Amino acid sequence: MTSATSLPTGSPARDAILGLDRAGLAERLASGTAITPEALAGFSYRGISLGMPEWFDRVVWKTFMKSFRQEGGRVRGYNVRMEQNGIDGAVRPRQKRGKPWIFGHFDVRAPKAREVPQACGPGVVFDYGLSPTRDAVVSLDGTPDLLLGVLYVALPGRSFRTPSYFTLERHCAGVPWDPR
């Protein structure tokens, strides 16, 4: 496990996003600012699912982690399933076979022309490879500290945004649950 230094969470800017409906989230996504893949490398982010019904959050998750690292000339990330301790609760990974539950590895890259659904600001794409799902992610404050993303489906010639939004708040330096 890599050493990790926790950063403050629960900022007023993040809390303002949590109260938005889907239309408000879409507006913020469209007005978001660009980030680079390299700005994410070496950090872990605490995520909060937004825009989905409460029953969905209970069945799937409300909180999660995404961690990022530089691999050669590219930035890679992965998801960490977390114990559901509330949006500001203790950060503990769920275990699977005695290890942190890590899944959903992805490349972080700039979007291709006309790839991201309309009304998404500039940013990065989390590309899950063979899966048709992608995340479009923008900065909310011009820094890599507070991000807003949306899940979309990329089909040949057309992309569809889903109602699944999320925030990512920089949580710690380092990658505490590195699967390597």
Side-chain angles (χ1 to χ4, degrees):
M1 178 165 121
T2 303
S3 172
T5 305
S6 290
L7 300 171
T9 61
S11 69
R14 185 216 58 188
D15 291 345
I17 295 298
L18 299 182
L20 296 177
D21 61 11
R22 286 185 191 148
L25 292 168
E27 286 176 19
R28 292 301 307 268
L29 189 74
S31 66
T33 60
I35 52 172
T36 65
E38 294 75 22
L40 306 177
F43 292 93
S44 291
Y45 286 74
R46 188 174 184 151
I48 301 173
S49 173
L50 303 171
M52 300 302 289
E54 193 175 312
W55 66 264
F56 183 87
D57 289 339
R58 281 195 309 271
V59 171
V60 179
W61 65 28
K62 182 67 175 175
T63 61
F64 57 93
M65 295 285 287
K66 287 186 185 285
S67 294
F68 302 88
R69 66 172 180 257
Q70 189 80 37
E71 285 186 9
R74 64 185 181 161
V75 175
R76 300 267 304 148
Y78 56 87
N79 294 286
V80 181
R81 179 136 352 232
M82 304 304 291
E83 296 290 339
Q84 297 301 294
N85 296 314
I87 61 172
D88 291 317
V91 176
R92 285 193 298 270
R94 283 188 64 185
Q95 301 290 305
K96 187 174 186 179
R97 295 184 199 107
K99 296 181 180 178
W101 188 347
I102 294 171
F103 66 99
H105 294 252
F106 53 88
D107 286 320
V108 182
R109 60 173 176 75
K112 297 173 186 169
R114 293 181 297 284
E115 172 186 18
V116 176
Q118 187 177 359
C120 289
V124 295
V125 169
F126 299 167
D127 185 337
Y128 293 88
L130 295 176
S131 170
T133 60
R134 309 276 186 272
D135 297 323
V137 181
V138 298
S139 171
L140 288 173
D141 61 3
T143 75
D145 295 335
L146 182 59
L147 311 175
L148 179 64
V150 67
L151 176 72
Y152 70 96
V153 177
L155 299 174
R158 184 113 192 239
S159 294
F160 301 92
R161 198 170 59 203
T162 72
S164 180
Y165 291 85
F166 57 91
T167 61
L168 292 175
E169 190 171 18
R170 190 172 273 186
H171 177 70
C172 63
V175 183
W177 303 291
D178 195 329
R180 289 184 286 180

